[in-house]
Amino acid sequence: MSSPDRSWPFDLVDPADVLGPKDEADFMAQVIEEAELAGWLWHHETDSRKSNRGLPDLILVRPPRVIWAECKTDKAASKLTPEQRLWLDTLKACGQEVYVWRPSHRDRILEILR
């Protein structure tokens, strides 16, 4: 009689779901994946060195909404720069939907994207 395979349930678990994203880029990739599944168009400036500083990481569009989202990690050191804060505050003052998203906000992000 062979011994039961005790590893099978654990093979189905993505380590990122348990440990969370490794960094900001990994987290943003998860947000983009969820946004695509929910039918959002998205844009991320891949090389921001030639762009204005502080522009939010993601622009998500699904009529009638446009979302501007800055993705940060849950680490204490992951704070908004003054330029990021200026962009987000200015967009909000223009009536835009703006967010600073962190991995710990996952449930709320999924609600917003639905």
Side-chain angles (χ1 to χ4, degrees), residues 48-94:
S48 61
R49 294 175 294 176
K50 295 180 182 177
S51 299
N52 289 334
R53 297 179 79 164
L55 185 69
D57 290 322
L58 291 174
I59 303 168
L60 303 166
V61 180
R62 188 180 73 186
R65 294 168 64 197
V66 176
I67 292 176
W68 300 79
E70 181 64 35
C71 296
K72 294 290 187 187
T73 65
D74 283 317
K75 296 176 184 170
S78 183
K79 297 180 181 177
L80 293 174
T81 66
E83 294 90 356
Q84 289 170 329
R85 186 169 301 287
L86 177 61
W87 267 99
L88 294 172
D89 288 347
T90 302
L91 287 164
K92 190 171 185 173
C94 292

Side-chain angles (χ1 to χ4, degrees), residues 9 11 50 72 97 99-100 110:
D11 292 340
K50 295 180 182 177
K72 294 290 187 187
E97 190 173 353
Y99 299 98
V100 177
L110 293 177

Side-chain angles (χ1 to χ4, degrees), residues 97-111:
E97 190 173 353
V98 299
Y99 299 98
V100 177
W101 284 339
R102 298 179 185 275
S104 59
H105 303 152
R106 184 176 192 277
D107 291 341
R108 181 68 179 128
I109 293 168
L110 293 177
E111 282 179 31

